[in-house]
Every structure is written in C-alpha cells, then in structure tokens.
C-alpha cells in the first residue's frame, strides 16, 4: 500500500465508524418514535373508555 | 468536520520527515484526546453520583464512557494505520504509549461487563461509578507515558517549548480538534436524550399497564 492509501484508510475508518454509530442511533430513535405512538394510542383508548377505571379492565396492546 | 478534513488533507503543508502519512496526525490525535476527555467526563459524572447521589449522573457517566470507548477504538485503529505507514509495523508491544492506551481501553471495556452483569438499580450505579473512578488514574499515566519513557519512536509533538510544527499545521490541528470535540459532544447529547427517552417510555408503559 502507498502512503496515500494509508491516509485514505485512516480517514475512511473514522467516517465508516461514525456513520455506523449515527445509523444505530437513528434506528433507535425510530423505535422510540414507534413506542411513543403505541403508548399514545393506549393512553387515548384508556381516556375514551369511561367504564374502565385506571389499571383495571383495560386491555393492553 | 468537513472544513477540518479539507484543511488536513489539502491545505496543511506536507511534513518533511514523514511525508503524506503525517496527515493522519490531524485525525488520530484529536480522536485520542477526545477519548481521554470522554473517559475523564465519565469519571467526573461518577464522582458526582457518589458525592451527591443524583441518579441522572449514572446515565451521563455511562454514555460518556461509551463515547470514550468508541473514540478509543478509533484511536487504536487510526494509530495502527499510522504506525504501519510510518514505522512499518501495525503494533509494537515495546511502546509504552501504545500498550498503556490499550490497557486504558480494555479497562473501560470491562466497565460494560461489570455494568451489565448487575441488576439495574442503585447498587449497579454505585459499583459502576466506583469502577469508572478507578479508571481515571490510568488517563494521566497513559497521557504522560510518552514523555516519561525513553527510547520511543512514537513522536512527541507537544513539548514544554510549545508545539513542534508550523503555524499552519498547528491551526489545522486546532480546527480538527474542535471539530472532533464538537462531534463527540453532539453524539453524547443525542445518545443521552435517546437513553433518557427510552427510560421514560419504559416507566410510562409500566404505569399504563
């Protein structure tokens, strides 16, 4: 390998690792967004069920 | 980060001794310093947890050490590539600086093994904090090893007489260091927000169940 290729490899490794890290965080944020939507739906259903007191009788997803 | 890479690869003058491979310096050293800083931050947050007992410092310490480990991997990989380009070896066990950084890195890798082997709660937070504080002792040892040891081939750029490089090289290094620090800070904040949100959602799910 030439000296230039070593330099490219060093910068490339940093770029790939940071990109992978950002992708993992982005995937996690997507999961959190989905869970938030599920909980919001659950909370909304609870609020529209007048006969079911909190913590009793209501089904979960 | 783009400006830093542009300066490092295209603007900074070529080193007369090492040639083009010296350009790895502009990414390797800032990443190494950031790794030290993240480990130090993790230990500082751990100390605050132990002194003040505030639970939020546990997560902050964990995220800082996680960041430090990622930057530690990058330090080892970029350093190894630079070593191969300059010295002709991927790794030299005779170099105290390299071995001490590896010890520091492995010490903090073991932090995760300790943390995830314990049940979540105050005991885990305290045990992790104590471990993180022990590790901070290795940071100055690793940092100063290059100056304390003799007969090294690892270069010493920053001496008591100041940086041993031209003004444009030093300016490029400062920009690169600022860029890597900013990147680490942004990643730290994003990961911390994600982890806190995850914990809040978990709690909310338990309440709604």
């Amino acid at each position: 390998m030439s000296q230039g290729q070593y330099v490219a490899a060093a910068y490339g490794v940093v770029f790939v690792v940071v990109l992978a890290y950002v992708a993992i965080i982005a995937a996690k944020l997507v999961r959190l967004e989905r869970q938030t939507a599920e909980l919001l739906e659950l909370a909304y259903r609870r609020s529209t069920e007048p006969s079911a007191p909190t913590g009793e009788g209501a089904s979960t997803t | 980060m783009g400006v830093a890479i542009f300066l490092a690869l295209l603007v900074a003058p070529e080193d007369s001794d090492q040639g083009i491979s010296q350009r790895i310096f502009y990414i390797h050293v800032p990443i190494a310093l950031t790794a030290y800083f993240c480990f130090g931050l993790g230990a500082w947050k751990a100390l605050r947890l132990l002194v003040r007992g505030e639970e939020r410092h546990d997560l902050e310490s964990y995220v800082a050490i996680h960041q430090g480990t990622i930057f530690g991997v990058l330090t080892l990989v970029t350093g190894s590539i630079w070593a191969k380009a300059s010295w002709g070896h991927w790794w030299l066990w005779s170099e105290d600086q390299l071995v001490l950084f590896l010890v520091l890195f492995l010490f903090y890798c073991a932090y995760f093994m300790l943390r995830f082997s314990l049940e979540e709660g105050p005991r885990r937070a305290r045990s992790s904090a104590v471990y993180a504080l022990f590790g901070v002792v290795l940071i100055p040892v690793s940092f100063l090893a290059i100056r304390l040891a003799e007969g090294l081939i690892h270069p010493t750029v920053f001496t008591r007489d100041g940086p041993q490089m031209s003004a444009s090289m030093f300016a490029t290094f400062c920009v690169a260091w600022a860029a890597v620090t900013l990147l680490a800070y942004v990643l730290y904040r994003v990961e911390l927000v994600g982890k806190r949100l995850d914990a809040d959602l978990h709690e909310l799910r338990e309440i709604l169940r």
Side-chain angles (χ1 to χ4, degrees):
Chain A
M1 276 176 86
S2 70
Q3 298 277 301
Q5 284 173 317
Y6 281 118
V7 175
Y11 281 81
V13 164
V14 174
F15 178 75
V16 168
V17 169
V18 172
L19 193 69
Y21 184 77
V22 169
I24 289 167
I25 293 210
K28 188 175 179 178
L29 287 177
V30 168
R31 180 175 59 82
L32 290 175
E33 189 184 20
R34 194 183 62 239
Q35 287 179 355
T36 307
E38 284 171 6
L39 287 173
L40 188 67
E41 192 187 329
L42 183 63
Y44 181 73
R45 245 189 288 145
R46 289 273 174 88
S47 68
T48 54
E49 286 175 5
S51 59
T54 310
E56 287 177 23
S59 62
T60 55
T61 51
Chain B
M1 201 68 200
V3 173
I5 291 171
F6 174 75
L7 290 173
L9 295 180
L10 300 172
V11 177
E14 197 162 303
D15 186 65
S16 56
D17 181 33
Q18 293 192 42
I20 195 173
S21 67
Q22 184 269 344
R23 292 183 192 277
I24 298 174
F25 164 82
Y26 301 114
I27 195 82
H28 170 71
V29 177
I31 284 174
L33 292 175
T34 305
Y36 286 134
F37 179 77
C38 288
F39 289 139
L41 181 67
W44 168 246
K45 296 289 183 184
L47 181 67
R48 293 194 69 176
L49 169 77
L50 292 172
V51 172
R52 297 193 176 186
E54 293 172 9
E55 293 266 325
R56 67 187 175 94
H57 293 307
D58 176 50
L59 196 58
E60 290 172 357
S61 175
Y62 163 75
V63 172
I65 291 170
H66 187 230
Q67 293 282 320
T69 310
I70 291 166
F71 280 90
V73 170
L74 287 174
T75 303
L76 290 169
V77 173
T78 56
S80 196
I81 293 170
W82 193 10
K84 179 65 178 171
S86 293
W87 311 335
H89 301 281
W90 292 106
W91 186 265
L92 285 173
W93 288 105
S94 57
E95 290 298 302
D96 293 349
Q97 169 77 2
L98 309 188
V99 176
L100 281 168
F101 190 86
L102 183 66
V103 169
L104 176 71
F105 172 75
L106 292 176
F107 184 91
Y108 278 108
C109 284
Y111 168 89
F112 298 101
M113 293 162 69
L114 169 77
R115 188 177 175 87
F116 292 115
S117 66
L118 297 172
E119 287 278 323
E120 193 176 341
R123 185 169 161 264
R124 182 176 86 168
R126 282 198 306 276
S127 301
S128 302
V130 169
Y131 191 89
L133 269 178
F134 273 120
V136 82
V137 178
L138 290 168
I139 296 172
V141 174
S142 173
F143 187 75
L144 294 172
I146 189 170
R147 285 155 183 83
L148 297 175
E150 292 177 358
L152 292 166
I153 56 173
H154 191 292
T156 307
V157 177
F158 298 99
T159 65
R160 287 180 181 177
D161 301 325
Q164 304 300 303
M165 63 181 104
S166 69
S168 59
M169 282 178 163
F170 184 61
T172 303
F173 167 75
C174 289
V175 172
W177 191 9
V180 172
T181 305
L182 187 64
L183 175 72
Y185 177 73
V186 170
L187 293 178
Y188 170 79
R189 294 300 305 175
V190 170
E191 187 176 346
L192 194 59
V193 167
K195 293 243 180 266
R196 280 183 178 151
L197 194 58
D198 199 16
D200 289 347
L201 283 177
H202 183 73
E203 203 171 320
L204 187 60
R205 197 179 302 116
E206 292 298 316
I207 291 168
L208 286 172
R209 193 163 282 169

